[in-house]
Amino acid sequence: MGDDGDLGFAHRLADLAWEVAMRHVASGDRTAAEKEDGSPVTPADLRVEGELRALVARERPADAFDGEEYAGRDGGPLRWVVDPVDGTGSLLAGEPEWSTLIALARGRDVRLGVVSAPALGRRWWASHGGGAWTAAFTGPPGGRGTPVPLRVSSADRLGRARVGIWPPPQRIGARERASAAGLAAGAEETVPDLDWTGRGTAEPPPPKPSTGSGTCHGGLLVAAGLLDAFLLVGAGPWDIAALVPIVREAGGAFSDLAGQDRFDTGSALFSNGRVHGEALDAVRPAP
């Protein structure tokens, strides 16, 4: 739980992201451009990533950096994997469920993860062997409340599990819909409750599984014991990496849909560990 070394530096990065993002929110700027994939990008996304890149370059010049908005910077074996604003649509809508995701990886091994949610006043973090934690956070410097440990749920069968899936079926491809539909068919409850085969409609768009829960991401719901499993598809490595140690240190499990320990294949399955095998069988792509 301590803040020495790499984890301490990760918290400093999160503090900086907090300051930059909240200055943007206070300005009232709601401008956005559209990226090639159709998703929005705001000045906050660009400024946060730019500031974090600069701090890593100054204080950790040997480390590589991989962010969502700019080309990656090569370096040594350690790589910072960052999503400057996860939930840009929520930020633009004035909703609080957006965050900065920060991970440090050596190859495929994610050594630590920090999720900072300024508008929710909360932070989550974990490092190898240090447990998974959350705390209220009112902003730097020194605004962190008493850390509370995170623990996954005890459900031991997929048929008794509450699972989250994101994005909705109309926004993903046929292969991913098949995985989502397989998981939904085997679970007791699915959030959001949709026809995951994609044959139905989704107007208006459904809320994310984390909406109203005080978190920003379904993986955090697994770590907190509020979901038994969470499937995320069509995602970048920066959407996944920071959640891996948080879920694992809370007692849970992570893999991609092929069962590999990889955060760079576009999809992620997080679970409490007890239902992971069944969930993986349900989502595993056909050969």
Side-chain angles (χ1 to χ4, degrees), residues 91-286:
L91 184 147
L92 285 169
E95 299 167 349
E97 291 191 331
W98 53 270
S99 60
T100 298
L101 309 180
I102 299 168
L104 179 62
R106 181 185 290 270
R108 296 177 185 174
D109 176 34
V110 188
R111 300 163 63 96
L112 63 84
V114 176
V115 178
S116 175
L120 288 170
R122 183 151 292 276
R123 185 173 293 182
W124 300 259
W125 68 94
S127 60
H128 278 334
W133 304 86
T134 186
F137 191 78
T138 56
R144 196 188 311 171
T146 302
V148 176
L150 295 167
R151 293 301 301 173
V152 296
S153 69
S154 59
D156 59 1
R157 290 176 51 191
L158 184 60
R160 297 177 180 172
R162 185 171 191 258
V163 305
I165 304 174
W166 196 257
Q170 288 73 18
R171 286 171 44 188
I172 58 181
R175 191 174 180 87
E176 290 79 13
R177 284 198 301 272
S179 293
L183 183 61
E188 181 175 42
E189 180 184 358
T190 306
V191 184
D193 183 14
L194 300 173
D195 177 1
W196 286 96
T197 65
R199 291 188 288 268
T201 59
E203 295 294 341
K208 292 181 179 180
S210 58
T211 299
S213 68
T215 72
C216 296
H217 194 292
L220 297 175
L221 293 179
V222 174
L226 299 176
L227 285 177
D228 304 306
F230 175 65
L231 171 65
L232 178 65
V233 298
W238 39 79
D239 297 310
I240 298 170
L243 283 302
V244 174
I246 296 176
V247 171
R248 284 179 166 166
E249 288 292 319
F254 157 78
S255 73
D256 70 6
L257 302 197
Q260 305 174 103
D261 185 9
R262 294 186 60 171
F263 60 86
D264 60 351
T265 60
S267 298
L269 178 65
F270 298 98
S271 81
N272 66 1
R274 298 173 178 86
V275 303
H276 203 84
E278 278 190 272
L280 189 58
D281 287 342
V283 304
R284 199 187 302 269

